[in-house]
Amino acid sequence: MTNHYKTATFAGGRFWYLVRPFLELEGTKEVISGYAYPASDADGGEHNDRHNGNYRAAVQIKYDPRITSYNNLLHVFWHQIDPTDGGGQFNDRGQRYAPAVFYHNEEQKLQAGKTKRDLENSGRFQTSIAVEILQLEHFSYASEFHQYFYKKHPFRYKLLVERSKREAALKEIWKDTEKDRELRKRLTTTQYNVTQLNKTEMPYENEYWDNEREGLYVDIVSGEPLFSTKDQYDAGCGWPSFTSPVNKNSIKEEMDVSHDMVRTEVRSREADSHLGHLFQDGPVKEGGLRYCINSAALRFIPVEKLEKEGYGEYKKFF
């Protein structure tokens, strides 16, 4: 069978942080952490010695062009870095952490150049794009310890991400300004701070912690159905608590190591709103889970209004 996979190589800070975004892209076979060496220096000089230290931490991706494209990979790459920072990325400083696209052929060079020019002309950034586009001379694998680090060492990985402030910075750099403006106008300050900035509202001083009406809770941002009062109970914590979501696919769970604690964060899948946290101290007879959710992340729709609001299919829960 002919090998139809193609290869792409990108540098953008510590390679650990680039693996997951590319691996989650449909059509990607593998993402290897390693070291990329350019074929020539910026002035087009002689080929570099592989042992002279002129390398960058990078990832090399094997992907199926029948499922995804090099342009899709470029899109993921740009959104994982600060394109204006040529001296490293976030807390990782120095040339070895400087961002670059390493092209394997002329087609990749042209596509990378076009996306860079498009970004420069977009008006998003006040300073020039500092990412270099370099021909790849050689790529060497990092040790096995570094491969798929986020999977093998999830706690340590999340700590590193948290301390690097990378996620918060990327969210600010790449936020949709029009959408953000609309959300700030539509949501209250508390609703915005909770869903967009991962804040927590005060216990016992929120709208639904003691709600006794029957109905459905949906994402305040997207309207995606999340929880039902059939699964709500008083956990004595001062926030709405649920034993399960109405649909497991409507939420996603992430490790949260903020505030010197290890918790499971709960986010909505469609809007990526921060909702709250998941704990293992719920009612045993209901599975032992407690979804502790911020009222500010929710909009409540009483049973009698489900049909009118377009959620008629959920009347069966009541």
Side-chain angles (χ1 to χ4, degrees):
M1 181 178 177
T2 304
N3 183 1
H4 55 265
Y5 288 98
K6 292 188 176 182
T7 305
T9 304
F10 302 100
R14 290 185 186 269
F15 41 51
W16 293 337
Y17 302 136
L18 296 182
V19 175
R20 183 176 179 178
F22 284 113
L23 198 62
E24 290 179 343
L25 182 66
E26 186 178 6
T28 298
K29 181 183 180 183
E30 65 178 14
V31 182
I32 300 299
S33 298
Y35 310 96
Y37 296 78
S40 61
D41 59 31
D43 297 320
E46 295 298 320
H47 286 247
N48 290 303
D49 183 338
R50 294 178 187 174
H51 303 290
N52 69 1
N54 187 23
Y55 65 85
R56 305 196 191 190
V59 291
Q60 192 159 89
I61 303 141
K62 288 195 182 305
Y63 68 98
D64 188 339
R66 301 172 303 179
I67 300 174
T68 192
S69 67
Y70 187 65
N71 268 326
N72 285 341
L73 296 177
L74 285 167
H75 178 80
V76 172
F77 166 70
W78 289 116
H79 285 78
Q80 299 309 311
I81 64 168
D82 176 355
T84 65
D85 187 356
Q89 284 292 288
F90 309 104
N91 288 353
D92 302 319
R93 311 312 303 163
Q95 179 182 308
R96 71 180 59 183
Y97 296 125
V101 176
F102 286 88
Y103 62 89
H104 292 246
N105 52 51
E106 195 65 20
E107 182 182 1
Q108 288 188 354
K109 179 182 180 181
L110 291 173
Q111 290 183 62
K114 182 181 184 305
T115 59
K116 180 178 178 178
R117 289 192 300 275
D118 289 346
L119 207 56
E120 288 174 330
N121 296 329
S122 68
R124 176 180 286 273
F125 300 100
Q126 301 304 309
T127 55
S128 60
I129 303 302
V131 177
E132 293 183 280
I133 299 174
L134 305 170
Q135 183 180 358
L136 181 69
E137 165 72 9
H138 174 69
F139 182 84
S140 61
Y141 284 22
S143 67
E144 184 59 32
F145 171 80
H146 295 293
Q147 305 303 331
Y148 302 104
F149 186 85
Y150 83 93
K151 286 186 175 182
K152 294 188 289 189
H153 308 282
F155 174 67
R156 185 175 178 184
Y157 175 78
K158 288 298 292 188
L159 276 179
L160 290 169
V161 171
E162 178 74 15
R163 291 170 181 172
S164 74
K165 306 299 182 184
R166 186 185 183 100
E167 287 184 344
L170 286 175
K171 189 172 183 178
E172 181 65 23
I173 291 169
W174 291 103
K175 72 181 178 183
D176 184 329
T177 53
E178 286 190 14
K179 178 183 176 182
D180 187 68
R181 193 179 302 115
E182 185 273 329
L183 287 177
R184 287 182 181 274
K185 183 177 180 181
R186 175 160 60 94
L187 304 179
T188 67
T189 300
T190 301
Q191 289 169 341
Y192 181 90
N193 289 341
V194 167
T195 59
Q196 306 303 303
L197 302 180
N198 302 347
K199 302 298 184 181
T200 301
E201 65 193 359
M202 293 296 292
Y204 301 105
E205 295 180 18
N206 54 82
E207 192 170 2
Y208 304 126
W209 75 270
D210 60 349
N211 177 41
E212 295 183 352
R213 299 177 67 189
E214 285 195 321
L216 180 72
Y217 293 102
V218 302
D219 187 331
I220 190 69
V221 174
S222 66
E224 184 178 8
L226 298 173
F227 298 96
S228 161
T229 53
K230 284 294 184 184
D231 302 307
Q232 185 173 359
Y233 73 103
D234 183 2
C237 62
W239 291 283
S241 296
F242 307 89
T243 56
S244 66
V246 293
N247 184 346
K248 272 283 188 180
N249 293 327
S250 66
I251 64 169
K252 53 186 178 180
E253 300 169 10
E254 298 281 349
M255 183 186 293
D256 177 7
V257 295
S258 61
H259 308 295
D260 297 319
M261 295 184 285
V262 181
R263 297 176 294 174
T264 300
E265 181 192 10
V266 180
R267 304 187 71 87
S268 64
R269 188 167 299 279
E270 182 179 324
D272 194 34
S273 302
H274 170 71
L275 303 176
H277 290 86
L278 173 61
F279 300 97
Q280 305 290 326
D281 58 3
V284 175
K285 65 178 181 179
E286 300 292 340
L289 299 179
R290 173 169 64 95
Y291 291 83
C292 185
I293 307 299
N294 289 279
S295 291
L298 306 173
R299 181 168 76 91
F300 177 67
I301 305 173
V303 173
E304 63 271 17
K305 292 186 178 181
L306 288 175
E307 197 77 50
K308 180 180 178 181
E309 296 260 3
Y311 298 94
E313 62 185 290
Y314 291 93
K315 290 180 70 174
K316 63 186 179 183
F317 287 102
F318 309 95

